[in-house]
Amino acid sequence: MTKLKKFSDAFWGTEFCSTLGFDTVCRRLKDGRQMVKDVEDFLKQRAKIEEDYQKNLINLTKKAGGATENGTLRASWEELKSRTEAMANAHLEFSRELNKEVERLNQFMTKQKDERKQVEDTMKKVQTNKISLYHKTIQSKKSYESKCRNCDEAHEQYLSLNSQPNIQAKEIQKSKTKYEKAKTERDQADLMYRSSIDSLDGARREWEKEMELACNVTQKMEEERIGFLRNELWMHINFISQLCVEVDDHCEVVRLSLEKCEEEADIIAFIEDKKTGTRRPDPIVYERYQQSWGGNGNRVTTLSRRPPEPLPGDNRHYDFRTMPNPKRPPPPVGVSSATFFVSEGTGQRRDHSPSE
């Protein structure tokens, strides 16, 4: 079976007063308008999302830290912030393109609304006229049929009376007059009925002509709508692809910057900028505590002037010749040359004779 490709071949009906075909076409136009409205709402919301996203990205770059970093990593970080701001601007530009799409959709809907209204008004006029004439024709037909029955009855009555011998001539004449009047009324009803048929047929032909024209116009409108939305959605996807390309270009710049980021270079840069010196502190060595007596007879606690001795377990070699005050202190007044030492770890005094 061959598939129909034209509205003008597919939206008719056998019922004379039916408007189902045109109503179906009009419903399709309204559904198509709703589709355009849905696309418009989608693009509006997407534009708002892109605009908010741009604002959020800009705020993010402004609040981003990283001021404590230095070297090549700092440079990559600054490049990332800069490129993020550029991406934000790309999203803002995309939002503007979406708003332009919304404006085009709005203009298209307005244009099709005017065209649809013109078609609907014309079809409403011819359909109303056709239906009105149809009902008048039905009434004319009923009147004609009624007059025909009256005429037949009057004719039968006249023939019946005329065939009877005992009926007065006056009665026969009266019946004849009634029959002739019914015949005249029948003929008038017949003329009115025929006239209604002719008027209705003219209205039918006009309706068919306008219906065929309306089908062609509405089909063209549908084709324009489908093609328009297809092109707009195609452009929309192209804008998204272009946005992705721009974003990827910015990402590539950041990647190139990260390729130049080197751990060793940043370490060296930090050392050169913040170094505190290359000499390490001297070790803390053990110093022996010695009690000595001053010249006034008072006991005085002093640090030994003897060269420091290593801590227990410290096997490092110390050159005492290079240390200050290598001589031992003199013995206290009235005391032998014994030296007073504090036992390691106990704090008790011990007398050592020279023999020790």
Side-chain angles (χ1 to χ4, degrees), residues 113-172:
K113 179 180 179 182
D114 295 338
E115 293 176 352
R116 186 181 69 251
K117 186 176 184 304
Q118 183 177 357
V119 172
E120 289 177 345
D121 290 345
T122 301
M123 285 302 301
K124 181 178 180 181
K125 180 179 178 181
V126 296
Q127 285 175 348
T128 301
N129 184 48
K130 184 186 73 167
I131 293 174
S132 176
L133 290 176
Y134 172 78
H135 289 304
K136 288 182 179 180
T137 301
I138 294 301
Q139 292 299 324
S140 297
K141 180 181 180 182
K142 289 181 179 180
S143 177
Y144 166 70
E145 291 175 346
S146 175
K147 297 301 182 181
C148 286
R149 285 193 297 270
N150 292 336
C151 182
D152 291 342
E153 291 175 358
H155 185 238
E156 290 177 359
Q157 185 179 9
Y158 168 71
L159 293 178
S160 176
L161 291 175
N162 195 31
S163 62
Q164 297 179 13
N166 298 326
I167 299 299
Q168 297 180 359
K170 184 179 179 180
E171 292 293 331
I172 295 174

Side-chain angles (χ1 to χ4, degrees), residues 24-57:
T24 302
V25 172
C26 287
R27 190 177 304 112
R28 176 59 181 171
L29 293 180
K30 292 179 180 179
D31 291 343
R33 175 180 171 81
Q34 183 61 46
M35 176 59 184
V36 178
K37 189 69 172 61
D38 292 342
V39 174
E40 181 188 24
D41 293 340
F42 173 84
L43 296 178
K44 283 182 179 179
Q45 295 181 35
R46 180 64 188 269
K48 184 65 169 57
I49 291 172
E50 293 294 333
E51 185 177 352
D52 293 342
Y53 185 49
Q54 182 265 348
K55 293 179 181 178
N56 291 333
L57 285 180

